[in-house]
Amino acid sequence: MSWLRRNLVVIAGLITLAFLILPNLVVLVFSFNKPKGRFNYAWQEFSLDAWRDPCGVADLCGSLALSLQIAAWATLGATVLGVMVAFALVRYRFRARSTVSALIFLPMAMPEVVMAASLLTLFLNMGVQLGFWTILIAHIMFCLSFVVTAVKARVMSMDPRLEQAAQDLYAGPVQTFLRVTLPIAARGIAAGALLAFALSFDDFIITNFNAGSTVTFPMYVWGSAQRGTPVQINVIGTAMFAVAILLVLAGMLIGNRRKKQAR
């Protein structure tokens, strides 16, 4: 009992982690399945057919490429705007600063269906045709809050004396920003960008409201679930999960190497 009390937090953490990873393991296993019917819900036999031809289902890779394209542009737009907003909120004092800060965080607390319906109403009233551009604008809108949150936390922890020291050494404003401010804030910017990319690629509710006839990968998965889930969806899901793990491991290795060099 004493051992259990000492390690209760660790055990609970491991159980929670296993619960979170288990669905991904199920997706991995069923990516090697060869179902006899339309639905890939019961194990039949081992096969590599789906891995050999991940684009074997019509429009699957097209919707995947569209989602990646939207996520990349939304990440770029939200990151650029989010960095500027975060620096403005931390470094400058202006009227309605607290109001602007509250409005920035409002999309994070607002239900997605409310924001989706609001954006749809705005686009319809403006006479904008629903499609690629409406999805992109909507994704930038809701990803912006997450980028501002990540970058703002990093900027608030920065020591302004480092920038002052660079200016004392005759560095100009641009040189100070590029060589001192930006490298220090890079981790927060990278975290916000990765979060924005994941949220944009994964979004369904806001996209479904503002997509029109455009079909992204989450919308394709939802539609295919109604008529039969192809194994290739599991293949792409497994590949995306593997890429995410590799990125996390790469970040950890780079961070550990920098710590060793700093010592």
Side-chain angles (χ1 to χ4, degrees):
M1 290 299 294
S2 59
W3 178 88
L4 182 62
R5 291 174 182 173
R6 289 196 305 269
N7 299 277
L8 183 61
V9 176
V10 177
I11 295 173
L14 292 175
I15 293 175
T16 304
L17 184 62
F19 178 77
L20 293 174
I21 295 179
L22 182 61
N24 298 285
L25 296 179
V26 173
V27 171
L28 170 64
V29 171
F30 277 86
S31 67
F32 297 99
N33 188 28
K34 187 175 182 180
K36 296 181 179 179
R38 295 182 301 167
F39 297 95
N40 187 25
Y41 298 150
W43 180 263
Q44 300 295 332
E45 60 177 298
F46 181 85
S47 175
L48 293 173
D49 294 343
W51 283 93
R52 293 193 186 101
D53 189 15
C55 297
V57 182
D59 299 327
L60 175 60
C61 286
S63 63
L64 176 62
L66 180 62
S67 287
L68 291 173
Q69 184 181 1
I70 292 174
W73 285 109
T75 300
L76 179 61
T79 302
V80 172
L81 294 174
V83 169
M84 292 190 292
V85 171
F87 272 92
L89 291 175
V90 175
R91 296 293 180 84
Y92 298 96
R93 298 293 182 267
F94 53 89
R95 290 184 178 180
R97 177 171 170 268
S98 58
T99 304
V100 173
S101 182
L103 290 175
I104 287 294
F105 298 120
L106 188 61
M108 299 176 61
M110 183 186 302
E112 280 194 75
V113 66
V114 176
M115 187 173 183
S118 301
L119 288 169
L120 176 60
T121 304
L122 175 65
F123 292 139
L124 292 178
N125 289 334
M126 294 178 63
V128 180
Q129 184 178 0
L130 300 179
F132 176 87
W133 292 107
T134 55
I135 297 175
L136 179 59
I137 293 172
H139 283 206
I140 293 175
M141 289 285 290
F142 78 83
C143 288
L144 180 63
S145 299
F146 296 92
V147 176
V148 171
T149 301
V151 178
K152 184 180 177 182
R154 183 62 177 171
V155 174
M156 291 178 66
S157 64
M158 292 172 55
D159 189 352
R161 291 176 296 181
L162 297 175
E163 296 168 298
Q164 294 171 3
Q167 294 171 0
D168 291 339
L169 295 173
Y170 304 102
V174 177
Q175 194 174 14
T176 302
F177 178 78
L178 293 178
R179 296 199 173 189
V180 179
T181 308
L182 191 59
I184 297 175
R187 290 187 179 182
I189 296 173
L194 290 174
L195 184 58
F197 184 88
L199 291 170
S200 175
F201 180 83
D202 184 60
D203 182 76
F204 172 77
I205 297 177
I206 295 177
T207 305
N208 190 42
F209 271 72
N210 300 278
S213 59
T214 305
V215 179
T216 61
F217 183 68
M219 295 175 63
Y220 183 90
V221 174
W222 178 81
S224 64
Q226 312 301 315
R227 56 183 182 273
T229 307
V231 184
Q232 283 80 357
I233 290 179
N234 295 63
V235 172
I236 293 175
T238 302
M240 296 295 294
F241 181 65
V243 169
I245 291 178
L246 291 176
L247 288 175
V248 172
L249 292 177
M252 293 175 61
L253 290 176
I254 293 173
N256 292 334
R257 183 175 299 179
R258 288 181 176 177
K259 288 181 180 179
K260 290 181 180 179
Q261 292 176 353
R263 293 175 183 175

